Amino acid sequence: MKKNWLTYAMALFGIVFLLAACGGGNEKTSDAPADDNASKTDDETKTYKIGVTQIVEHPSLNAAYDGFQQALKDAGLDVDYEYQIAQGDKSNNTTIANNLASSNVDLIFANSTDSAQAALSATTEIPIVFTSVTDAVGAELVASMENPGGNVTGTIDNHPEAIPQTLKFMKEELGVSKVGMVYNSGEQNSVSQVNAVKELLEDLDMEVVDASVATSADVKQATESLIGKVDSLYIITDNTVVSALESVVSVANDNQLPMMVGEFDSVKRGGLAAYGFEFYDIGYEAGEMAVKILTGESTPAEIPVQVPQNLKLVMNKETAETIGLEIKDEWQAEFSE
């Protein structure tokens, strides 16, 4: 009797153990979909990390950065930005690029030629999108405008008709023959523009008198050195000079010299006029490229470098009055605010 009872107890224990084991298996299976859903949610709310390197702080570059950020915001991307400015120092510029390359960012936004060159020297793996670059091929950032190759693409700040239209206006409407140019010979984008101006002026029977600077502290003195040698000034999109533009405006106005500039923010700050475009727009267009890269739609190598889309003449009425220039209706100029 005792033996039968023991046999019955052991059989009952086995049944209970088997049921418990089956129940544990069912519980594990039911957890699997929950883990999958959690993973899916993480992907949908991914936060991208973008490193931003900018050679110097001035309104045009700042506007380009604003446009870049807005494009990613409009695309619905969640982004953390690591924003650093080199303050015009090449050593700082290199350090910033190296730090961003080693900080595991998803993409680098390089705002200027120097910034883009330093970023490319620091990494050939992390995608780089640039803007505010004048000659992307000459700066050896891309193989060609149509097929960049490598890990770099972006938007340039050089509309092909901007310089020719500016020089034509200076010659035909302002009667200019000698053009004063102040620029940093260490900025590749500036050298490219100055060379383009000199080449075009050969056919216009005009000449350039230039003065080179190394820092923004040199700008006023370099501008003053041109007085008596020129009948106008043309300030291109040189980051060093534009960062100290008010000193150039002061010298130009005191000497009644018309001063053409390379972009609209410089018109707002006192330049007479510019054939140009909004830096915000080229920043926004660079941001659209970044969205395609971050979401996996394209790679930098597949996205052609883009030129500014719109070109127009914008003038500063107050500056025109200061130097005694009458603005003609046929110029069809818009006016800075």
Side-chain angles (χ1 to χ4, degrees):
M1 182 71 175
K2 184 180 290 187
K3 183 177 181 180
N4 290 339
W5 180 87
L6 183 59
T7 301
Y8 176 79
M10 290 179 67
L12 181 61
F13 179 79
I15 293 171
V16 171
F17 180 83
L18 181 61
L19 290 172
C22 291
N26 290 338
E27 183 178 357
K28 184 174 181 180
T29 302
S30 65
D31 282 345
D35 289 341
D36 290 343
N37 289 335
S39 175
K40 183 177 180 181
T41 300
D42 289 343
D43 289 341
E44 289 175 346
T45 59
K46 178 176 180 178
T47 298
Y48 297 94
K49 185 177 181 182
I50 295 180
V52 180
T53 173
Q54 183 171 310
I55 187 63
V56 70
E57 188 169 19
H58 65 64
S60 296
L61 296 184
N62 296 346
Y65 179 42
D66 289 342
F68 180 84
Q69 291 176 287
Q70 189 62 50
L72 279 93
K73 182 179 180 181
D74 289 347
L77 271 61
D78 186 11
V79 179
D80 281 341
Y81 293 96
E82 186 174 342
Y83 175 55
Q84 298 189 44
I85 301 176
Q87 301 300 345
D89 188 295
K90 289 186 178 294
S91 178
N92 288 344
N93 191 44
T94 299
T95 300
I96 289 170
N98 289 333
N99 288 343
L100 292 178
S102 62
S103 63
N104 199 33
V105 295
D106 296 300
L107 182 142
I108 294 175
F109 174 54
N111 197 4
S112 76
T113 300
D114 285 341
S115 301
Q117 288 175 321
L120 181 56
S121 294
T123 177
T124 57
E125 301 295 329
I126 299 172
I128 299 169
V129 174
F130 62 74
T131 196
S132 310
V133 166
T134 299
D135 184 359
V137 177
E140 299 182 348
L141 295 172
V142 297
S144 72
M145 296 282 284
E146 296 77 17
N147 299 291
N151 63 318
V152 185
T153 190
T155 58
I156 65 172
D157 62 4
N158 183 23
H159 193 288
E161 289 300 313
I163 291 177
Q165 290 287 350
T166 298
L167 298 178
K168 181 180 179 182
F169 182 82
M170 295 175 78
K171 171 74 174 180
E172 297 180 358
E173 303 297 337
L174 303 181
V176 167
S177 61
K178 294 185 178 181
V179 181
M181 300 188 74
V182 183
Y183 72 104
N184 184 344
S185 59
E187 289 191 27
Q188 193 280 334
N189 65 307
S190 301
V191 174
S192 174
Q193 291 179 80
V194 171
N195 288 340
V197 170
K198 290 180 177 179
E199 184 177 346
L200 289 168
L201 287 187
E202 291 179 1
D203 296 330
L204 294 173
D205 194 26
M206 299 165 69
E207 64 178 289
V208 169
V209 181
D210 59 45
S212 179
V213 300
T215 71
S216 58
D218 305 328
V219 170
K220 184 174 183 180
Q221 184 176 356
T223 306
E224 290 173 335
S225 74
L226 298 174
I227 301 305
K229 303 175 184 177
V230 301
D231 53 14
S232 65
L233 294 174
Y234 182 15
I235 302 302
I236 51 174
T237 55
D238 180 290
N239 293 306
T240 303
V241 179
V242 172
S243 67
L245 187 70
E246 282 72 20
S247 62
V248 186
V249 170
S250 175
V251 174
N253 289 349
D254 287 346
N255 292 274
Q256 302 287 292
L257 292 178
M259 185 177 78
M260 301 294 290
V261 291
E263 31 73 37
F264 297 151
D265 285 306
S266 290
V267 178
K268 294 176 183 177
R269 294 166 65 191
L272 172 63
Y275 277 94
F277 49 86
E278 301 290 351
F279 268 67
Y280 179 94
D281 292 341
I282 62 172
Y284 191 96
E285 289 153 8
E288 292 178 317
M289 293 177 176
V291 170
K292 292 179 180 179
I293 293 166
L294 291 171
T295 58
E297 181 180 338
S298 299
T299 66
E302 299 168 336
I303 303 175
V305 176
Q306 184 168 298
V307 302
Q309 299 301 295
N310 300 305
L311 186 69
K312 58 186 177 181
L313 176 64
V314 172
M315 302 192 73
N316 186 315
K317 280 186 176 181
E318 184 176 344
T319 298
E321 291 173 0
T322 298
I323 67 172
L325 176 70
E326 180 184 354
I327 297 175
K328 300 177 181 178
D329 292 339
E330 55 263 34
W331 293 347
Q332 297 181 337
E334 296 182 16
F335 300 103
S336 64
E337 297 178 357

